[in-house]
Amino acid sequence: MKLVFAGTPEVAVPALDALLASGRHEVAAVVTRPDAPAGRGRRMVASPVAERAEEAGIEVLKPLKPRDPEFLERLRQIAPDCCPVVAYGALLPRVALDVPAHGWVNLHFSLLPAWRGAAPVQHSIMAGDEITGASTFLIEEGLDSGPVYGTVTEEIRATDTSGDLLTRLAFAGAGLLAATMDGIEDGTLKAVPQPNEGITLAPKITVEDALVDWATPALRVDRVVRGCTPAPGAWTVFRGERLKLIQVTPVPERTDLAPGQLAVGKNSVHVGTGSYAVELLWVQAQGKKPMRAADWARGVRIGEGEVVGR
């Protein structure tokens, strides 16, 4: 089939690579979000998908909105059979959805209908799921509600951050998306409507969502930290300033600390929660680089009875 691939961040690049390597389909063009300012200099930078497409010598389309008349006209000229999508980042209007004969097929990083929305991986970790995966589905105008072509499953490991899990899903999902294109082309794959039961939503995680509540159990604190790493980054407050929490680990044997209470050992920093303590392993103070929590604690000279969270 002739394909137009739509995607923007680094997590979409493995799927583009898989389609380019398949040898079975032609990736005629790539659609991605416009260049955006990045880094300290805030210079305009192309998306990872745009950079990969340019390396491969593929036409890159960067509409401000996918309903722009110039973009729609170029899409009709290319006349793709199907448009595979991975984390494109913009809502596709009906006028665009109707262009390819086989529609737009999205790779979504959950087992639909669970975790429909922008942050499925973060929510699956924060909810304590043991299994997640990726799904390919036909895009409709609803939120991730279209019929599903196929799925792959992935175990959520006890120490997984959302970054770790998303990396694994990006590569597993790339193979799924390529196989879905093959199945659509040869007519062996039919999309199956999603069930009406088991629908959960995964809206974007805000900075406010990433604030750790020390009154919740240790397992919840650990899940919030892992789910919000690397972005937007879990955090708490210490002496009136934000302290980013990069890695913690539950310490079930320690139950003597009140929620938010700090206890500093020779090489450890423990914090009380609503159940038992967690150990801070890596933190980042405001305006500083990430560091081991024990080094941070020595530097700030934590006093007896000090707390985090207020």
Side-chain angles (χ1 to χ4, degrees):
M1 295 191 294
K2 183 189 285 189
L3 308 177
V4 169
F5 179 86
T8 298
E10 189 66 42
V11 72
V13 173
L16 175 57
D17 283 338
L19 293 171
L20 291 172
S22 76
R24 183 164 170 175
H25 310 287
E26 174 199 356
V27 182
V30 156
V31 185
T32 190
R33 299 296 290 149
D35 297 359
R40 287 188 176 179
R42 307 306 289 165
R43 65 186 184 89
M44 300 301 283
V45 175
S47 74
V49 165
E51 290 183 348
R52 179 67 187 93
E54 285 162 4
E55 287 173 9
I58 299 168
E59 179 181 358
V60 179
L61 307 173
K62 302 178 182 180
L64 283 175
K65 296 181 179 179
R67 64 172 64 253
D68 290 351
E70 297 83 358
F71 165 69
L72 292 170
E73 179 57 30
R74 182 62 189 132
L75 189 65
R76 293 187 190 101
Q77 289 171 357
I78 297 170
D81 298 301
C82 190
C83 294
V85 185
V86 185
Y88 169 47
L91 196 63
L92 295 161
R94 170 53 59 190
V95 66
L97 294 178
D98 289 341
V99 173
H102 294 287
W104 297 64
V105 175
N106 192 46
L107 172 64
H108 183 76
F109 297 115
S110 80
L111 297 175
L112 291 170
W115 304 125
R116 294 176 178 176
V121 173
Q122 292 94 324
H123 280 276
S124 63
I125 290 176
M126 291 168 72
D129 292 350
E130 295 180 353
I131 299 291
T132 187
S135 308
T136 49
F137 71 93
L138 183 66
I139 294 180
E140 300 177 336
E141 289 183 279
L143 176 65
D144 300 334
S145 60
V148 172
Y149 282 106
T151 60
V152 290
T153 58
E154 181 72 33
E155 180 184 0
I156 300 178
R157 300 168 187 169
T159 58
D160 271 340
T161 65
S162 61
D164 298 331
L165 183 54
L166 193 54
T167 297
R168 295 205 306 276
L169 288 172
F171 284 94
L176 172 65
L177 186 61
T180 299
M181 293 298 106
D182 294 347
I184 290 172
E185 183 198 26
D186 60 28
T188 59
L189 201 55
K190 301 297 180 187
V192 177
Q194 295 183 35
N196 293 321
E197 301 79 33
I199 297 170
T200 49
L201 300 180
K204 182 179 178 180
I205 303 290
T206 66
V207 172
E208 290 73 26
D209 295 329
L211 173 62
V212 167
D213 180 356
W214 297 104
T216 59
L219 286 178
R220 172 65 182 170
V221 171
D222 176 54
R223 289 168 185 166
V224 169
V225 172
R226 290 188 295 112
C228 293
T229 301
W235 61 285
T236 188
V237 174
F238 177 72
R239 295 178 184 169
E241 292 191 338
R242 185 174 296 187
L243 179 69
K244 187 175 180 181
L245 305 170
I246 299 172
Q247 186 181 13
V248 306
T249 188
V251 186
E253 61 272 17
R254 180 147 203 185
T255 58
D256 61 321
L257 298 175
Q261 183 182 352
L262 286 158
V264 180
K266 186 176 181 181
N267 290 301
S268 66
V269 183
H270 291 168
V271 184
T273 75
S275 56
Y276 42 81
V278 298
E279 181 179 356
L280 304 185
L281 299 178
W282 282 86
V283 300
Q284 184 175 4
Q286 207 164 308
K288 305 287 186 179
K289 292 182 178 180
M291 64 179 72
R292 292 189 180 277
D295 296 335
W296 164 77
R298 279 190 287 271
V300 297
R301 298 184 178 181
I302 293 170
E304 185 77 25
E306 280 205 84
V307 299
V308 288
R310 60 179 185 271

